[in-house]
């Protein structure tokens, strides 16, 4: 598959490097709203073409699939435009900032007959696949409590993760992994959610603790922070 | 100190054994509502006297302090009677089943000039003392998230821990440790509490997930279960 990358961020760079190591995949174009930044990124990561607008990348007939590494607030808009351009979509997590947005994105992908995949890469890790298999076999019996926590310390106060307009915050950035793995463990959607948060000055949740109840009887506790020690854990 | 034991349960037996190993403490009497059971317990654990009523033990002039290992619902009544008998009290956790009960117990101990101690033995563990010291020094900076979980699998459905009238349930039995250690870590009382539970047929909480918010900015997630795998953990 020939990929275009929309974003010139840190994770987009990792994505480009990873695709260079792949036998089946290749990156053919990168885009930024800033043509100079796109050119630098393309040159740094060995990508043939760069574009100063996302629309230009979507118009590139060679691009078959697009990796969208934009801030959370822009996932829906650019996933839908990518679908309308007839290209497959790998969108960064969290896919959407609301259920309504996610449904619209899904509908756009279906209507244009393209794949829409949320970039929860950990789901494809052999360990995660094995976990899913063991849970499906009820190898540990019924799941009663799921505990998942993910946090780190964000020292750069100008980081997009602290930007409320771009729908930042701990839950959106790292807590979504906890919600996602809890769903894997529970094997179903939650029926109720409770949460408490400590808020950053910018208005986003800096630390959040949530409880999810599942109809099958499991409870999940998820917690996340942008101002704690670095940790990732599931139990 | 010369101790009397009110209860002939599993933990009371451990308590008796532990006191035999002490140089400063001794057990002189044990009581049960059933005189035969009290006599068996006293004989099994090398205790001089046994009583077929708790009142009789409280009337024993040699007894200076009483360990109360009764079901949760009986802690207040017998702590207060022990205080009124002028004896010190070591009461099993949870001390009380409500704030009002705890205050009444405290007042009774004060009025009779005796000690009233809740049996959170882990608080006296060198590791716990060191933890308290490190937290007080802010050795890890501010506490953002506290996660504490305690659970085990209760196979005996007739166990008092599943009895609603005796105020059983996961929170009362093992969750109280999580609440207690969270308070140690936060260094203050919580300002808000949220919880979700799965209920046992008997009406007590079999599994509970709770969130505590502290005015200083910390969040605690506590979880406990009587029907999960055995675990005890604080982070």
């Amino acid at each position: 598959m020939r990929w275009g990358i929309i974003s010139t961020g840190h994770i987009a760079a990792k994505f480009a490097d990873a695709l260079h190591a792949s036998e089946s995949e290749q990156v053919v174009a990168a885009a930024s709203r800033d043509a100079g930044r796109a050119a630098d990124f393309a040159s740094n990561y060995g990508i043939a073409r760069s574009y100063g607008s996302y629309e230009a990348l979507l118009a590139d007939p060679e691009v078959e699939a697009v990796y969208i590494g934009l801030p959370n607030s822009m996932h829906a808009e650019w996933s839908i435009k990518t679908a309308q351009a007839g290209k497959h979509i790998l969108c960064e997590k969290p896919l959407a900032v609301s259920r309504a947005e996610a449904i619209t994105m899904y509908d756009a992908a279906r209507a244009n007959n393209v794949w829409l995949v949320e970039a929860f890469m950990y789901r494809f890790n052999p360990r995660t696949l094995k976990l899913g298999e063991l849970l499906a076999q009820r190898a540990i019996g019924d799941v009663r409590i799921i505990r998942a926590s993910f946090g780190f310390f964000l020292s750069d106060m100008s980081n997009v993760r602290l930007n409320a307009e771009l729908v930042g915050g701990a839950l959106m950035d790292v807590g979504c992994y906890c919600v996602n793995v809890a769903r894997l463990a529970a094997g179903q959607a939650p029926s109720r959610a409770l949460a408490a948060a400590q808020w950053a000055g910018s208005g986003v949740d800096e630390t959040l603790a949530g409880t999810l109840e599942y109809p099958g009887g499991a409870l999940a506790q998820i917690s996340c922070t942008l101002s704690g020690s670095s940790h990732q854990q599931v139990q």
Side-chain angles (χ1 to χ4, degrees), chain A residues 6-78:
Chain A
I6 290 185
S7 164
T8 55
H10 176 62
I11 307 290
K14 286 193 162 186
F15 180 77
D17 278 340
L19 258 61
H20 286 318
S22 163
E23 287 176 18
S24 60
E25 310 301 302
Q26 49 178 313
V27 190
V28 297
S32 165
R33 281 172 303 184
D34 175 326
R37 189 184 291 178
D40 284 350
F41 183 85
S43 139
N44 287 340
Y45 297 99
I47 299 166
R49 291 187 296 285
S50 70
Y51 296 106
S53 82
Y54 310 145
E55 287 87 349
L57 183 136
L58 294 182
D60 184 332
E62 236 210 341
V63 170
E64 297 171 293
V66 176
Y67 166 77
I68 298 175
L70 298 170
N72 302 335
S73 60
M74 301 166 78
H75 290 177
E77 177 186 356
W78 290 100

Side-chain angles (χ1 to χ4, degrees), chain A residues 72-150:
Chain A
N72 302 335
S73 60
M74 301 166 78
H75 290 177
E77 177 186 356
W78 290 100
S79 289
I80 292 166
K81 286 184 175 160
T82 303
Q84 288 164 346
K87 299 172 196 304
H88 302 294
I89 308 141
L90 177 62
C91 179
E92 259 309 336
K93 35 63 48 180
L95 186 69
V97 303
S98 68
R99 183 169 184 274
E101 242 189 38
I103 290 171
T104 311
M105 293 161 80
Y106 176 83
D107 288 344
R110 281 294 286 255
N112 292 284
N113 201 28
V114 295
W115 288 96
L116 170 63
V117 178
E118 189 174 19
F120 275 120
M121 74 300 171
Y122 89 97
R123 280 273 191 157
F124 302 94
N125 187 304
R127 194 156 67 162
T128 312
L129 295 171
K130 187 69 188 176
L131 172 65
E133 201 182 295
L134 291 171
L135 289 167
Q137 290 164 358
R138 298 187 63 254
I140 59 157
D142 291 328
V143 172
R144 301 289 186 184
I145 310 180
I146 302 149
R147 299 169 72 217
S149 190
F150 196 156

